[in-house]
Amino acid sequence: MDDEILRLLKGPSSAFLSGQEISHRLKVSRTAVWKRINHLRTLGYEIEASTRSGYRLIQSPDLLTPLEIKPILKTKWVGKKMHHFHTLDSTNSKAYQLALNGAEEGEVVIAECQEKGRGRLGRHWFSPPFLNLYLSVILRPKIPPHEAPLITLMAAVATADTVQKFSGLLPLIKWPNDILLRDRKLAGLLNEIHSEMDRIHFVILGIGVNLNMDEKMFSKEIRAAATSLKIEMGQPVSRKAFLQSLLSELERWYSIFLKEGNMVILKAWRDRAHIKGRRVKVTSFGEVIFGTATDVDSDGALVLETADGKRKRIVAGDIEYNRKVKS
Ligand code: BTN
């Protein structure tokens, strides 16, 4: 019923709507309407009440509910069906379950808060309520499974472009798919695939973006290495507006990938990562390797030249940058 009341209050005129009118339209008592109005207030909706004129919506909170997002969405199909939750273990886990049960391409899972937000390499993704963005998009690309890493590169490009368009700041993609501002991590991607030998059933694109965190909200361990858009822009940002923009960029880049293929995505990724020629320290499966990055290949693997001139492909791990030696 909350949604229906809001739909009425958000109607074409921003004038008052009487309690009687609402109760008549929704076929509930005026007391029931009054209770729901109070509930909406607890969610952050500012609703003016007047004994003579009824109720009027003054301001909506920055919630990521379909009711708030749908009217501003500019996509054709990404996010047209949205599953919104106050709290989830992980949006990726929920999206995976939904996809197993037949959810369609473009369906999106969003949570205001995650209790077991998952990061790469089994790490935890800090996901406090109402501050950031935690979402998972279900895709069903008709490509062979070995091309799936391109989807991850595509999503990193889309996220980086969203940050740039939204803030005017220039983000850097750090292999494999961290989005950095001022060398600090702003966003991370965790993509999961369900496939058989020659066919992908679905891919879950899991994206976490730090939007309105203050520095002191990050744990001591990650404080120096993490940032948020609020910190970088010096002002709070609208989560709704960022989400709207991110879904548009994902739809745009995914259609570029499907139409124009791998090389366009690889080039876009390389242009935003500036990794070629950088001295890196790689930690991969407990091993530490130093070398110069020569490329990222179409499997998403990092290609390194080690000090003894050998070529090494790294498929998973973390990197730290050293001094730039070549460009
Ligand atoms: C990383 O380690 O950099 C990846 C972080 C990915 C976090 C996002 S938040 C939404 C989605 N759900 C999850 O549990 N993880 C991803």
Side-chain angles (χ1 to χ4, degrees):
M1 183 168 30
D2 290 353
D3 277 8
E4 288 166 55
I5 293 181
L6 281 172
R7 215 164 275 133
L8 290 177
L9 290 176
K10 281 180 178 225
S13 81
S14 53
F16 278 98
L17 212 55
S18 74
Q20 193 174 358
E21 171 81 19
I22 301 174
S23 74
H24 174 71
R25 293 231 208 148
L26 302 185
K27 300 186 179 58
V28 294
S29 71
R30 289 179 63 172
T31 315
V33 171
W34 175 75
K35 280 190 181 157
R36 295 327 296 174
I37 293 278
N38 280 340
H39 177 247
L40 286 168
R41 284 181 173 142
T42 66
L43 298 178
Y45 287 91
E46 206 181 311
I47 299 168
E48 188 182 347
S50 138
T51 30
R52 277 161 134 237
S53 326
Y55 302 104
R56 186 162 70 114
L57 181 64
I58 308 282
Q59 207 179 343
S60 299
D62 193 23
L63 284 177
L64 304 175
T65 54
L67 199 78
E68 293 299 322
I69 301 302
K70 290 253 169 99
I72 57 170
L73 260 194
K74 294 199 177 118
T75 53
K76 291 200 186 73
W77 55 274
V78 172
K80 287 288 160 187
K81 184 155 184 190
M82 205 171 262
H83 307 263
H84 172 267
F85 299 86
H86 175 275
T87 308
L88 279 178
D89 279 1
S90 150
T91 57
N92 265 33
S93 309
K94 185 71 188 177
Y96 203 95
Q97 278 309 317
L98 288 168
L100 283 177
N101 292 329
E104 286 176 18
E105 177 154 86
E107 291 190 27
V108 170
V109 178
I110 294 181
E112 303 288 348
C113 160
Q114 295 185 118
E115 286 177 336
K116 291 183 187 155
R118 292 191 280 121
R120 283 192 319 113
L121 308 172
R123 293 182 190 128
H124 173 69
W125 185 259
F126 184 47
S127 315
F130 305 120
L131 288 171
N132 303 318
L133 207 57
Y134 321 112
L135 84 153
S136 301
V137 182
I138 298 168
L139 295 178
R140 294 184 181 276
K142 292 183 180 59
I143 55 171
H146 73 264
E147 286 183 10
L150 266 304
I151 301 271
T152 297
L153 301 184
M154 176 286 291
V157 169
T159 308
D161 281 13
T162 307
V163 171
Q164 188 174 356
K165 285 181 182 171
F166 191 87
S167 66
L169 303 170
L170 194 62
L172 195 74
I173 302 179
K174 183 176 170 216
W175 184 86
N177 43 38
D178 291 350
I179 310 297
L180 309 185
L181 278 174
R182 262 194 322 129
D183 280 341
R184 290 160 183 240
K185 183 156 166 174
L186 177 82
L189 280 79
L190 178 70
N191 299 332
E192 297 177 287
I193 177 171
H194 182 62
S195 70
E196 50 192 273
M197 283 295 281
D198 55 357
R199 191 166 73 97
I200 291 179
H201 295 296
F202 58 81
V203 176
I204 305 296
L205 291 184
I207 306 176
V209 189
N210 297 327
L211 290 181
N212 285 315
M213 300 271 286
D214 292 323
E215 211 165 296
K216 60 180 184 315
M217 293 174 182
F218 291 108
S219 69
K220 282 203 185 94
E221 295 75 54
I222 61 168
R223 197 168 293 163
T227 193
S228 74
L229 218 46
K230 181 182 174 193
I231 296 170
E232 299 304 320
M233 293 176 74
Q235 60 187 52
V237 299
S238 159
R239 296 186 309 145
K240 283 192 257 193
F242 189 91
L243 174 62
Q244 177 264 316
S245 178
L246 178 58
L247 295 181
S248 292
E249 284 302 310
L250 282 170
E251 184 173 286
R252 186 169 80 83
W253 275 106
Y254 186 54
S255 89
I256 292 175
F257 168 63
L258 295 179
K259 276 196 208 117
E260 299 180 32
N262 303 355
M263 292 318 290
V264 177
I265 299 301
L266 261 178
K267 178 174 183 324
W269 191 96
R270 287 172 180 140
D271 287 348
R272 288 155 185 76
H274 305 288
I275 196 169
K276 205 169 163 186
R278 292 194 79 159
R279 297 261 316 136
V280 293
K281 173 184 169 188
V282 185
T283 312
S284 177
F285 301 108
E287 193 189 355
V288 177
I289 308 153
F290 290 91
T292 302
T294 58
D295 203 1
V296 164
D297 68 20
S298 58
D299 294 330
L302 176 68
V303 187
L304 274 189
E305 192 181 290
T306 53
D308 53 7
K310 288 202 178 110
R311 186 175 171 277
K312 221 167 161 46
R313 279 181 82 247
I314 315 285
V315 291
D318 284 314
I319 61 171
E320 280 171 47
Y321 291 134
N322 288 336
R323 191 171 51 86
K324 188 166 180 164
V325 290
K326 296 184 229 163
S327 62

